[in-house]
Amino acid sequence: MPLSEEELRLLEQMERALAAEDPKFVSALQGRTLRQAARMRSLAAGLVFLGGIAMLLGGVMTDAGTVSVLLGALGFVVMLASAMVGLAAWRGHQVPDERPAGPDALFDFDDHPHRFEAIDGGRAGRVSRPKRQRRPRKQGTFMQRMEQRWQNRRDQGGY
């Protein structure tokens, strides 16, 4: 349901007041979208991956002994970590289509592909479990109970 003219005017007034009061907060809210952030993260991970390949090849091609082995291993670890970060960014933030920004865009669910609907069920159909009986309260402190156990074992000839 769209906002009325009065509500739109009040919303614009509140936005202007917020921008005047805290411009740093407003600029933080107008940051990158999820898709742009994921794209930048994937690109950075790809560049780091290429750096890891260079380190690995540098370690293989040099003949410096232990240093070359460490450089090659470090290059492999860098490649592995950047591949994990890049794939997570590439897979995790694939937004189907970005919704247009507007005052009522947050509340318009008619064309959203992942729509949640109410289902029948809930507490009425649940089967109640029988309640567990509480154990009797133990007598004494922890150390007193341990000493009693030790005494019982010694009396029975266990230790």
Side-chain angles (χ1 to χ4, degrees):
M1 182 169 124
L3 296 174
S4 69
E5 294 295 323
E6 177 68 21
E7 291 170 334
L8 284 172
R9 188 181 61 76
L10 284 172
L11 184 63
E12 288 172 2
Q13 211 173 30
M14 288 170 32
E15 287 175 353
R16 282 194 299 266
L18 179 64
E21 186 177 314
D22 196 358
K24 189 175 181 181
F25 177 69
V26 172
S27 68
L29 288 179
Q30 294 174 345
R32 296 188 174 120
T33 63
L34 288 176
R35 186 176 291 188
Q36 289 172 336
R39 193 175 297 142
M40 292 300 291
R41 212 175 300 124
S42 297
L43 183 64
L47 292 174
V48 172
F49 186 82
L50 290 175
I53 288 176
M55 289 172 64
L56 180 68
L57 290 176
V60 169
M61 291 170 36
T62 59
D63 192 26
T66 308
V67 175
S68 65
V69 172
L70 290 176
L71 185 63
L74 183 64
F76 177 75
V77 169
V78 167
M79 286 172 46
L80 184 65
S82 66
M84 288 174 54
V85 168
L87 286 175
W90 185 47
R91 280 188 187 163
H93 294 292
Q94 288 181 351
V95 181
D97 27 273
E98 294 185 24
R99 300 180 56 83
D104 58 338
L106 294 174
F107 305 107
D108 184 21
F109 296 111
D110 293 337
D111 61 340
H112 197 275
H114 303 290
R115 183 179 178 155
F116 293 105
E117 296 178 0
I119 59 172
D120 292 333
R123 292 191 178 270
R126 277 184 137 173
V127 177
S128 63
R129 293 185 203 159
K131 293 188 178 185
R132 294 188 328 186
Q133 293 182 357
R134 300 191 83 176
R135 286 188 240 166
R137 183 114 179 150
K138 297 178 179 171
Q139 300 295 322
T141 65
F142 176 75
M143 287 305 295
Q144 289 171 344
R145 290 193 314 262
M146 290 300 114
E147 288 174 1
Q148 184 63 38
R149 283 184 186 176
W150 182 256
Q151 186 67 37
N152 290 343
R153 286 184 188 145
R154 203 169 55 187
D155 291 345
Q156 293 173 0
Y159 292 102

